[in-house]
Amino acid sequence: MPDYPQSPPQKSKLSCTPRLRGIFFRSLIREFAATGLLVFFILLGIVVFTQLIRFLGESVSGLLAVDGILVMLGFSAMNYLPVLLSISLFLSILLTLSRCYRDSEMVVWFSSGIGLVRWTRPVLGYAIPVTLLIAFMSLVLSPWALSKADEYKRRLDSRDDVSHATPGAFRESKQADRVFFLEDVDINSKRVGNIFVRSVQNGKDGTMVAKEGYQETAENGDRFLVLLNGARYEGVPGQADFRISRFERYAVRIEPAELGKEQPNIKAHTTRYLLQHPTSLHTAELHWRIGLPLSALILALLAIPLSYVNPRAGRSLNLITAMVIYMFYNNMISVANSWVALKKISPLSGLWGLHLAMVLVLLVLFRYRSSVAPWWRFGR
């Protein structure tokens, strides 16, 4: 037997290559997920902030009650989740692979015989679960959130004037004949404090103030705001018909609010309802919901060739190109859905035409990035 150590055979070195490659791909998926979560929460914070400003503006103008801001904000954020996840999926793959190019990791893997097509395996391992989540949110969660938001807003609009009043703020009644000011409102005990009511009765302006009051329901179902220990000023001060009346108890009838009629909102319809009622508008909405997960998966694969970084052209050129392609793709989906709704194109062309065109662009980009020959030598 030889008295020196034997070197391991070459076959054992090559046998560990798939294992090392699997470890690297799993770490790559973890980096995809970490980058995607960071991008998602940044985008979600921007959307929540902008929607909060919009709802606060509606509350100040009297279109939305203060206690309904957080609920409407939650429903609005749930509606934007599919789009945010799609953008996060695309950017996470794009940024991670661009970093691999900048750190020369791609050069190492290309030198080891791993081509650009082999990167589809870790990308699909990360993109397919996210795409399924986008499909669930687009087909189920977003319509449910929009329907609940519409229902909740109708309930807020259907409340009476006293229940809808905001403590410490002047509010006009729905009939535009009274202005309320309530310093304190206790909904549980139905009592209010420091009340100011300005109304028009029989063509005369009247102002009533009271220290406290409560809500009372008559036998016939009419509701009244009963003012206690107050005064009523009627007329214009300085004229002969100006009167001041003191009272211990004064009842003001609360006009019942009519239940708001449900406005047809196509985006709030369930996917089953859209399938059961195949109109042009419903088909366009259904195409939008199906197109979100399809476009997310195509964009995830499209991020592989778009992540190429040319050191001579700068590090941001690929990001700008990728964002231009994303915005063009997303806008064309909306345009195709509008054409389907207007019956300018067939539903089949509107659903699959654009996505198949982007798949063709994907194949061309893969061929371009994987080949060292110029375009005019494709035939050879």
Side-chain angles (χ1 to χ4, degrees):
M1 296 180 61
D3 56 355
Y4 54 87
Q6 297 288 332
S7 60
Q10 189 70 20
K11 184 178 181 180
S12 64
K13 291 183 179 181
L14 295 176
S15 62
C16 66
T17 303
R19 182 171 177 268
L20 293 175
R21 192 163 56 240
I23 294 175
F24 178 76
F25 283 170
R26 285 194 295 270
S27 65
L28 189 65
I29 292 176
R30 287 195 294 268
E31 186 174 356
F32 285 154
T35 307
L37 287 176
L38 178 61
V39 174
F40 173 75
F41 283 114
I42 291 175
L43 295 177
L44 182 62
I46 295 174
V47 169
V48 169
F49 182 73
T50 54
Q51 293 298 310
L52 180 60
I53 294 176
R54 182 172 71 88
F55 289 136
L56 288 176
E58 293 181 358
S59 177
V60 171
S61 60
L63 300 177
L64 181 64
V66 176
D67 53 353
I69 293 179
L70 294 180
V71 178
M72 295 297 297
L73 184 62
F75 287 136
S76 178
M78 293 172 65
N79 178 41
Y80 282 99
L81 287 181
V83 179
L84 297 182
L85 280 177
S86 178
I87 301 175
S88 302
L89 175 65
F90 177 62
L91 288 180
S92 61
I93 298 174
L94 184 69
L95 294 176
T96 302
L97 295 184
S98 297
R99 189 218 31 101
C100 292
Y101 274 105
R102 290 194 300 268
D103 295 346
S104 302
E105 293 182 8
M106 283 293 191
V107 177
V108 175
W109 286 103
F110 290 160
S111 302
S112 302
I114 299 178
L116 197 64
V117 180
R118 300 285 294 273
W119 288 86
T120 57
R121 181 181 175 183
V123 169
L124 288 177
Y126 164 67
I128 289 178
V130 180
T131 303
L132 294 177
L133 182 60
I134 293 173
F136 170 75
M137 291 183 175
S138 176
L139 297 174
V140 179
L141 186 62
S142 292
W144 176 83
L146 288 175
S147 62
K148 291 299 180 181
D150 293 342
E151 180 182 353
Y152 185 77
K153 194 169 184 180
R154 288 198 306 271
R155 289 181 181 179
L156 291 179
D157 295 337
S158 300
R159 295 192 304 181
D160 56 70
D161 296 330
V162 177
S163 300
H164 203 260
T166 303
F170 288 91
R171 188 166 192 90
E172 188 178 13
S173 64
K174 292 182 173 60
Q175 291 76 21
D177 59 349
R178 293 173 184 170
V179 176
F180 290 88
F181 178 86
L182 309 176
E183 185 176 352
D184 186 19
V185 177
D186 190 353
I187 300 177
N188 296 326
S189 61
K190 297 182 179 180
R191 298 189 69 89
V192 293
N194 292 335
I195 310 162
F196 171 88
V197 180
R198 182 176 179 84
S199 61
V200 178
Q201 295 181 358
N202 300 324
K204 294 183 179 181
D205 293 335
T207 303
M208 290 179 291
V209 292
K211 293 182 179 179
E212 61 176 341
Y214 61 91
Q215 297 185 43
E216 183 180 67
T217 304
E219 296 180 356
N220 59 355
D222 293 342
R223 300 180 60 192
F224 294 88
L225 175 62
V226 181
L227 308 180
L228 303 176
N229 301 323
R232 175 177 174 81
Y233 304 90
E234 185 175 347
V236 180
Q239 296 185 0
D241 58 350
F242 181 74
R243 294 187 304 174
I244 300 177
S245 304
R246 304 286 180 178
F247 58 84
E248 295 182 358
R249 187 178 185 274
Y250 190 97
V252 180
R253 187 173 183 272
I254 301 175
E255 298 294 336
E258 297 180 357
L259 184 63
K261 295 182 179 180
E262 183 178 358
Q263 299 294 331
N265 187 3
I266 298 177
K267 294 185 177 296
H269 290 325
T270 61
T271 304
R272 178 182 297 180
Y273 180 86
L274 297 180
L275 292 173
Q276 293 175 351
H277 302 80
T279 63
S280 59
L281 294 177
H282 292 173
T283 303
E285 176 61 24
L286 187 62
H287 285 182
W288 168 257
R289 298 181 187 181
I290 298 175
L292 276 178
L294 285 178
S295 63
L297 186 60
I298 294 173
L299 285 170
L301 295 174
L302 197 61
I304 299 176
L306 289 177
S307 61
Y308 171 77
V309 176
N310 187 0
R312 297 181 179 179
R315 297 183 177 183
S316 302
L317 182 61
N318 66 321
L319 297 178
I320 297 175
T321 305
M323 293 309 301
V324 170
I325 292 178
Y326 174 82
M327 290 187 292
F328 174 78
Y329 189 15
N330 194 36
N331 290 333
M332 287 305 299
I333 292 176
S334 301
V335 171
N337 292 335
S338 300
W339 287 349
V340 171
L342 297 175
K343 299 181 180 180
K344 292 184 177 181
I345 58 176
S346 63
L348 187 62
S349 301
L351 177 60
W352 298 108
L354 179 61
H355 299 297
L356 291 178
M358 292 303 297
V359 171
L360 181 61
V361 173
L362 173 66
L363 296 177
V364 171
L365 286 178
F366 263 104
R367 178 67 178 85
Y368 173 68
R369 292 303 181 192
S370 301
S371 177
V372 296
W375 289 92
W376 56 85
R377 295 184 180 179
F378 272 8
R380 299 182 182 179

